[in-house]
Amino acid sequence: MTAKEIRQAFLDFFAGKGHAIVPSAPIVVKNDPTLMFTNAGMNQFKDIFLGETAPKFPRVADTQRCLRVSGKHNDLEEVGVDTYHHTMFEMLGNWSFGDYFKKEAIAWSWELLTEVFGMDKSRLYVTIFEGDEKEGLARDQEAYDYWAQYIEPSHILNGNKKDNFWEMGETGPCGPCSEIHYDGRTYEQRAEVNGAMLVNGDDPQVIEIWNNVFMQFNRLKDGSLQPLPARHVDTGMGFERLVRVLQGKTSNYDTDVFMPMIDFIAEKSGIAYGAEERTDIAMRVMADHIRAISFAVADGQLPSNNKAGYVIRRILRRAVRYAYQYLNFKEPFLNQLVPILAGQFEGVFEELWSQKDFVQKVVLEEEVSFLKTLANGLELLSHQVAYVDKIEGFLESHYGKPWHDFQIFEIAEYLNTNKVVLNLARHITDYIPVPWQSSGYNFVELENQLQNVTEYDEAYNKLLGYTTTLRGDIVFTLYDTFGFPVDLTSLIMHDIGRKIDIYGFDIEMAIQKARSRAATAIDTGDWVTLRDDDTVEFTGYDETETVAHIIKYRKVTAKGREQYQLVLDKTPFYAESGGQVGDTGELIFPNGDIIPVTDTKKENGLIVHFTDTLPATVEDALTAIVDAGKRTSTENNHSATHLLHAAMKQVLGSHVNQKGSLVNAGYLRFDFSHFAKVTEDELAQIETIVNQKVRENINLVEQRNVPYQEAISSGVTALFGEKYGDYVRVITFDETFSKELCGGTHVKATGQIGYFKIVAESAVAAGVRRIEAITGEAAENYINEQAKLVQQVKELLKNPKDISKSIESLLEENARLKKEVEKSVLEKAAGLKHELAKQAQQINGINFIAAKVELPSADAVKNLAYQLKDIVTDLFLVLAASFDGKPNLTVMIAENLVKEKGLNADTIVRELAKEIQGGGGGQPFFATAGGKNAAGLDAALKKAKSFAP
C-alpha cells in the first residue's frame, strides 16, 4: 500500500464505525496561550475535553499534522540521526467524546491493525497502566481484560505513570493510556531476545505505533484527581511509523513518505543515499525539516527571531547547515524540495499545494540569508582555529615538544623571564572572535601578574583553556546573536580535534531561560464555578451592552500582579482573534461596583474577561458595557483591512494574500504576500480604490452560520492557517469587490470609515510586506497635521508660489556650502598632517604620535589618520577630539607593527576609552572609541604612550 492509500484506509475504517471525518487543524496554534504549535492530535479538541465546548459529533477521526521541536516534546537533535523521530509528522486519530470507551477503542485498534492492515499478531505488544500507589490509582484491569480477548497475556505489559498515564498539562483532563508497539526485528533477532524486553527501551526496531488514551480524570491545581463527568477516548497513531511497518521498511525514511525527496537530494548532490552515515543523516534531516518548515509557512508562520518564528528559523538553519557541510550545497537548495513535497500532499492538505510558490520563495530567501550568516560564523571559527595553531606553534617552538606534554612548573619558570603570558594575550586579541577584556584581563593586569610567580598557574590555565576548548560564552554568542547552531560549532571544532565548552554554554542558556521564565511566569488558579452551564453567548455583533451573569472565574498572578479572569454566560465583548484586539469596557453590578475590563481574550473556546479586581457579589446579575468609542474606531480599521485586501488584489495581483494583521482603535496593520516593494504609484492606486469604496457607502452584508463548503463555493476569501468550523460568518462589501470569512466586528456601511490613509509600507520577512494605515478621526488628524506642516514650511520660505522649486534651490545651496566646508576641513587637515608628522617620537623603532586635534567630525579625524599613515612609517598614532562636547579617540597602527610588535588598535582603544568613560573597537590597525567624559582625553593621550613597547 502507498502512503496515500494507508491514510485513506484509516479514515475509511473509522468512517465505517460512525466517525465524522474532520480536517486537520493548522500546525500553528492561535488563540491558545499555552501552545505555539499543534503537538498532538487532541489539541484542536482541547476545549471539548475541558468541558468548555460541546462536541458537534460524538465520534470523529482525522489525520492531524503536528510539530514537536520545543517544550517537553523536543526531539530535534534525534531527527535524522535515528529512524523514527520527526519534526513535523501526521497523527492519525479517532476520538470519542463521552460516547464509546475502552472496549470499543481496543477492539477497533486490533481489528484495523490485524484484519485491515494485516499486521503479524506475534509482533504486536501492548502496554497498560500498572497503577500508582502515591496517586491512589489502581492497575488498569479493565484495559487488560479487553486486550486479553485478542492478544497473548505475555504480550500485555505493565507500564509506569511516565509511559502509561497521559496528562494534558499540570492541570486538566488526564487518564491511563494503552500503547501498541510493533517489533520489526528479523526472526533471528526475535529468537535471541524477547520483544517484551525491548518495549519502551529505545530499540529502533521495536517502536510504539499507536496510543489509546482513556480520559477519565481531571487534575486540579493542588494535584488531586477527580472523575470527569464524561469519559473520552483520544487515540494517536504515528502515520510515518505505520507506513514504515506496512511497507516492510526498517526506517521511516525508507518509505514513499520521504524517498521522493531523498532521491532528489541524492541526485542533485551526486552522493548516493546509503553510501555514508553522515551524508545519509544530512539527507534525512533535509527531507524531514522541509516538511515542518513548509507547513508552518503555509499555515501563516514565517521564520523570525522570536517565539514560533524562531523555532521555524532554527529548523530551517539546521537543514541548511547539514546541506552545506555534508552535501556540499553552497548555494540555496532546500527550497527546491517544496514543489516535490507539495505534490505529495495534493488532495490531502491543499493549503500547501495552493501556496507552494509562496512557500518556496520564503524558504529561498531564508536560505540566502543564512548562508551568509553561516559563512560569517565559519570565518569567526577559522580565526579561533588560527589562534589555536599559533599558540601551539609558539609553545612547541619554545619547548621543543608537543604543547600538551609540558608541565605547569616549566611554564612558570619560562614566564619569569620571557613574559609568555603577555605575548599569548596579544595573540588572543588578534585571533579570538571576542575581545580579550571580556575574559577579565587586560595588558596592565597581566603584566602585574608577572611580578608574582604564584599567579602564573591561574593565568596560564585560563590561556590554556582557549587552546583546548572554545569557551561557552563564545559558543552562546554565536548561537544567540548570529543564529549559529551549537551542533555546527561542535562539529567544526571536533573536526580539528577540539571541543566546545558545552557546560559553559548550558550555563549561559540557563541564565537566558531563567530570565525569560521570570518575565513570563504565570500562576493560574483553578476555575471557581458558579453555574453549571458553560454555554457562552456572544452578542457583540448586535449590541455593546447586555445583562449577564458570571459563570466562573479564577485568579491569575503574572509578574507579581494579580488579575482575575471572568467568564460570562452572555457578553458583548469581542475576544481578541483574527488580528482584532479584544474589547475593553466595564462590568456594572447592582451594588454600585464598577469593574473595568482591561482586555478580552479567547481560551479553548471561552471568552475570558480580564479585570484587576473581583466584585464583592459575584453571583449577582451585571451589566456588561463595551467601550463603544473604542469599538467604533476598531471597526473602522477592521472593515478598512477588508477593502485594502481587495484593492491590493486588483492593483498588485491575485497572488496577494493576508499573512497577518493587527486591528485596534488607533490604526491597522496588514501583512501580505508580495515579493517586491510596493511603489508609490501602486500605493496611491490602492488608497484611491479604498476611498472610492468608502465614499460609495456600501452597506455591510453579514451572513452568519453559512455552511463552510457553501461559503467557499461562493468565491469567498478564506485565510490560510485559520481553523474554520462547519459553519462560518461571511462579511461582504459589494459582492464583486470584498467577500471574506471573518469573525470580527465591522461597520454597518463603509461611509462610517470616513477616510483611509496609508502611512507606511515596509518589508516584514521573505516574501511578506506590511502596510500600516489609519482611518476616520485619526486619518483626519493626520491630514490636518500634514497641511499644517506644509504651511509652516511655506512661511519659512517666505510663501513662495512654487514651494517645491524653493526647497530644491535651498538643497542645492546647502550642497554647495557643504562642499566648501569639506574643502576647508581638508585644507586644515593637510596642514595638521605635516605639523603632526614633525611631532613623531622614536620609541624602539616606532614613530609614536599622540595629539589632541580640533576637527568638525569623526570622518575628518579618520581622514587625517589615514593621511598620516601614508607619510609616516612605523606609525603608532593616537588622536583625541571632541564633537559637540562628546569625546572621541582614534588609534591607527601600521600593519607591520601589528604583526611584528603585537600592537592592536582595537585592544588599545578599549583601554584608553576607560579614561573618557566610554567604549569602542575596530580592527587591529584602526579603531575608534567614544565616551562621556571629555575631560579625560588628556589622560588617555598620556596613557597611550605606555602601549608602545
Side-chain angles (χ1 to χ4, degrees), residues 578-581 634-635 637-638 641 661-665 667-669:
Q580 181 175 334
V581 298
T634 302
E635 288 176 344
N637 287 330
H638 197 162
T641 63
S661 68
L662 172 65
V663 178
N664 59 30
Y667 73 107
L668 67 91
R669 189 178 72 205

Side-chain angles (χ1 to χ4, degrees), residues 202-221:
D202 291 329
D203 188 292
Q205 299 306 321
V206 183
I207 57 173
E208 175 194 343
I209 57 173
W210 205 347
N211 190 13
N212 285 259
V213 177
F214 308 118
M215 293 192 192
Q216 56 191 95
F217 301 106
N218 183 38
R219 175 82 69 183
L220 299 179
K221 186 173 176 59

Side-chain angles (χ1 to χ4, degrees), residues 139-424:
R139 181 174 184 260
D140 191 354
Q141 188 63 38
E142 183 182 10
Y144 178 89
D145 292 340
Y146 286 129
W147 276 120
Q149 298 177 27
Y150 307 104
I151 193 169
E152 295 181 19
S154 63
H155 282 228
I156 306 174
L157 312 174
N158 286 335
N160 58 26
K161 182 182 173 184
K162 175 179 178 292
D163 291 326
N164 282 86
F165 193 85
W166 187 91
E167 303 198 50
M168 182 183 294
E170 293 182 2
T171 61
C174 54
C177 61
S178 183
E179 300 172 342
I180 304 173
H181 295 255
Y182 183 83
D183 186 350
R185 296 174 299 153
T186 64
Y187 287 105
E188 293 76 14
Q189 291 171 326
R190 292 172 63 203
E192 288 182 11
V193 180
N194 188 336
M197 304 294 293
L198 302 177
V199 169
N200 280 327
D202 291 329
D203 188 292
Q205 299 306 321
V206 183
I207 57 173
E208 175 194 343
I209 57 173
W210 205 347
N211 190 13
N212 285 259
V213 177
F214 308 118
M215 293 192 192
Q216 56 191 95
F217 301 106
N218 183 38
R219 175 82 69 183
L220 299 179
K221 186 173 176 59
D222 63 7
S224 62
L225 295 170
Q226 65 179 21
L228 288 171
R231 301 186 301 179
H232 312 291
V233 172
D234 160 13
T235 84
M237 177 156 55
F239 173 67
E240 293 79 10
R241 297 185 183 193
L242 175 65
V243 174
R244 161 186 171 176
V245 169
L246 296 182
Q247 293 185 354
K249 307 296 184 181
T250 57
S251 165
N252 294 9
Y253 294 96
D254 293 342
T255 67
D256 63 348
V257 175
F258 295 96
M259 283 310 298
M261 289 183 290
I262 290 176
D263 287 341
F264 181 76
I265 296 167
E267 177 189 348
K268 296 300 182 182
S269 66
I271 301 172
Y273 183 61
E276 186 180 350
E277 179 63 14
R278 67 176 188 169
T279 55
D280 287 355
I281 291 173
M283 293 183 194
R284 292 196 293 264
V285 165
M286 293 175 68
D288 171 274
H289 287 12
I290 193 60
R291 288 159 40 99
I293 298 159
S294 297
F295 277 104
V297 173
D299 282 347
Q301 182 55 67
L302 296 168
S304 68
N305 285 331
N306 52 62
K307 298 184 179 178
Y310 179 71
V311 174
I312 301 306
R313 177 165 282 170
R314 182 183 175 206
I315 295 171
L316 188 149
R317 289 182 169 186
R318 185 172 188 259
V320 173
R321 186 265 290 180
Y322 271 96
Y324 182 96
Q325 190 170 10
Y326 295 118
L327 300 176
N328 203 34
F329 286 118
K330 306 303 182 185
E331 299 294 329
F333 172 77
L334 188 67
N335 69 91
Q336 296 180 38
L337 298 177
V338 174
I340 300 172
L341 177 69
Q344 289 181 263
F345 284 100
E346 184 180 7
V348 180
F349 299 132
E350 284 292 330
E351 48 271 78
L352 179 57
W353 173 255
S354 60
Q355 296 184 91
K356 61 182 183 297
D357 293 339
F358 170 72
V359 173
Q360 184 173 4
K361 288 178 180 177
V362 170
V363 176
L364 172 62
E365 292 294 326
E366 279 290 314
E367 283 190 275
V368 170
S369 173
F370 181 56
L371 283 170
K372 293 177 182 176
T373 299
L374 193 60
N376 291 337
L378 290 172
E379 183 178 355
L380 289 176
L381 285 174
S382 70
H383 283 302
Q384 176 66 20
V385 173
Y387 154 73
V388 170
D389 291 342
K390 190 160 187 174
I391 297 303
E392 289 185 8
F394 182 87
L395 292 171
E396 291 181 17
S397 67
H398 286 287
Y399 284 92
K401 60 183 178 181
W403 63 272
H404 48 74
D405 287 347
F406 59 72
Q407 301 295 315
I408 290 296
F409 74 86
E410 294 177 310
I411 299 297
E413 181 180 356
Y414 193 78
L415 288 175
N416 195 40
T417 55
N418 293 279
K419 296 189 177 183
V420 174
V421 171
L422 184 59
N423 288 329
L424 289 176

Side-chain angles (χ1 to χ4, degrees), residues 546-815:
T546 194
V547 176
H549 291 84
I550 299 175
I551 294 175
K552 58 184 179 180
Y553 68 89
R554 67 185 178 190
K555 183 166 73 173
V556 176
T557 303
K559 297 182 181 179
R561 176 190 173 193
E562 288 187 353
Q563 280 188 305
Y564 292 89
Q565 296 179 352
L566 283 59
V567 177
L568 310 180
D569 61 348
K570 186 175 167 184
T571 180
F573 283 77
Y574 182 81
E576 180 181 327
S577 182
Q580 181 175 334
V581 298
D583 280 331
T584 60
E586 297 176 335
L587 304 179
I588 301 177
F589 291 81
N591 65 356
D593 283 351
I594 299 177
I595 307 295
V597 175
T598 58
D599 201 358
T600 312
K601 295 182 182 293
K602 279 185 181 178
E603 183 175 322
N604 301 317
L606 291 178
I607 297 175
V608 180
H609 307 74
F610 288 69
T611 66
D612 291 332
T613 58
L614 196 65
T617 53
V618 293
E619 295 87 0
D620 288 352
L622 58 90
T623 303
I625 304 176
V626 172
D627 184 331
K630 190 174 179 181
R631 164 74 79 82
T632 297
S633 296
T634 302
E635 288 176 344
N636 288 345
N637 287 330
H638 197 162
S639 296
T641 63
H642 284 224
L643 303 182
L644 172 63
H645 195 182
M648 285 197 296
K649 283 182 176 290
Q650 281 190 13
V651 175
L652 304 179
S654 59
H655 67 279
V656 169
N657 284 301
Q658 181 178 330
K659 290 299 175 183
S661 68
L662 172 65
V663 178
N664 59 30
Y667 73 107
L668 67 91
R669 189 178 72 205
F670 191 82
D671 298 343
F672 56 98
S673 52
H674 191 56
F675 281 84
K677 178 177 175 59
V678 185
T679 67
E680 291 297 325
D681 285 345
E682 290 169 335
L683 289 173
Q685 290 179 54
I686 292 166
E687 198 173 90
T688 297
I689 292 171
V690 172
N691 281 312
Q692 284 175 347
K693 297 301 178 182
V694 170
R695 288 192 296 273
E696 288 175 21
N697 196 27
I698 303 166
N699 287 325
L700 164 69
V701 177
E702 177 198 18
Q703 298 168 275
R704 303 179 192 174
N705 299 315
V706 179
Y708 176 74
Q709 287 303 329
E710 179 183 319
I712 295 299
S713 299
S714 72
V716 71
T717 297
L719 304 181
F720 293 111
E722 292 290 338
K723 174 64 178 175
Y724 296 107
D726 297 316
Y727 294 90
V728 293
R729 180 167 172 261
V730 180
I731 296 297
T732 304
F733 292 107
D734 183 343
E735 184 77 23
T736 62
F737 184 68
S738 173
K739 188 174 184 180
E740 293 193 25
L741 298 186
C742 183
T745 61
H746 289 272
V747 300
K748 301 304 179 187
T750 60
Q752 179 185 315
I753 295 171
Y755 187 72
F756 171 84
K757 180 63 183 176
I758 295 173
V759 295
E761 190 275 346
S762 60
V764 176
V768 178
R769 309 290 300 181
R770 170 175 292 170
I771 280 180
E772 295 176 54
I774 49 179
T775 63
E777 187 177 345
E780 181 182 351
N781 291 338
Y782 177 85
I783 295 298
N784 288 338
E785 286 296 322
Q786 294 299 306
K788 183 178 177 181
L789 181 61
V790 170
Q791 183 58 37
Q792 289 174 343
V793 172
K794 287 179 68 176
E795 291 174 359
L796 288 170
L797 295 174
K798 310 299 183 184
N799 294 305
K801 292 182 179 179
D802 188 338
I803 187 172
S804 297
K805 189 172 182 180
S806 294
I807 292 174
E808 186 177 339
S809 297
L810 193 64
L811 290 173
E812 289 175 354
E813 183 180 0
N814 182 65

